[in-house]
Amino acid sequence: MESAASTPNPVVRTAALCGVVAGGLCIGWVLFLYATDNNPYGPKRTLSNFFIPIVAVVSQVLLRRYYADGPGLWKSIEVGLLTTLIAAAVAAAGMYTFAQLAGPGLIEQHLAEARHLLESTKALYLKLPNGQQQYEAALLGLAQTPQAFAQDEFAKKLLLGILLSIPGGVFLRK
């Protein structure tokens, strides 16, 4: 077992390694969807949202190997949050790059599919209070540019990662 004294900044090293791996998994998932003729911008893309919280908890487990008595609460939470931040940034950069390289035709195809799905559920929206406003907000909320897809990717992954890495850090502090 290595000690924290023999490894410079184990929190940052562990978070960087795990964050890049998780972000790479997210990029790989988008590329897999594209290669298998699935919509890489569609609902199946959200399955990659679970990679980041899982890897954040794995980073907290890996951090424990550097500390004989456990990393403590703050270091454990810190490595989870930093892993989440790095992974979300890598995934967002990958999504932006993919969207730029794939071109606007794929985005237009996605928007047509998304509008068709929304139109088919419009009756359900209209049954809800303020349903028309919710339906219009859903139409306006569709990402239409590479920047919007990257921002959506970053925000969703960051939120889910933070929500699960904090309890993981509390549980894995010793």
Side-chain angles (χ1 to χ4, degrees):
M1 175 180 277
E2 292 182 57
S3 70
S6 66
T7 304
N9 211 341
V11 171
V12 174
R13 288 183 62 187
T14 303
L17 173 68
C18 293
V20 170
V21 167
L25 284 172
C26 294
I27 295 167
W29 180 250
V30 169
L31 293 174
F32 172 77
L33 290 174
Y34 179 71
T36 58
D37 290 329
N38 287 294
N39 182 355
Y41 303 122
K44 290 181 183 176
R45 179 185 65 146
T46 60
L47 292 174
S48 71
N49 288 350
F50 297 105
F51 293 151
I52 292 179
I54 290 169
V55 174
V57 171
V58 167
S59 73
Q60 292 166 335
V61 170
L62 291 175
L63 185 67
R64 294 175 66 168
R65 71 181 175 170
Y66 293 105
Y67 298 97
D69 297 333
L73 178 65
W74 295 114
K75 286 181 182 173
S76 186
I77 290 176
E78 180 183 12
V79 76
L81 293 177
L82 194 55
T83 298
T84 297
L85 181 65
I86 292 169
V90 169
M95 177 56 77
Y96 177 78
T97 303
F98 173 79
Q100 286 286 358
L101 293 175
L106 193 58
I107 292 175
E108 289 301 320
Q109 179 184 348
H110 163 69
L111 289 173
E113 289 176 18
R115 286 185 186 113
H116 177 67
L117 277 172
L118 278 172
E119 287 173 11
S120 67
T121 60
K122 186 174 183 177
L124 295 173
Y125 275 100
L126 296 178
K127 290 179 183 177
L128 299 172
N130 296 325
Q132 183 65 32
Q133 290 87 352
Q134 290 178 13
Y135 175 76
E136 291 170 5
L139 274 176
L140 290 175
L142 292 175
Q144 299 182 13
T145 63
Q147 295 87 350
F149 281 108
Q151 184 179 19
D152 180 60
E153 187 86 352
F154 182 78
K156 287 180 180 172
K157 293 195 178 350
L158 188 65
L159 179 65
L160 191 59
I162 287 172
L163 287 176
L164 292 178
S165 66
I166 291 175
V170 170
F171 181 73
L172 296 168
R173 69 184 180 266
K174 291 187 181 187

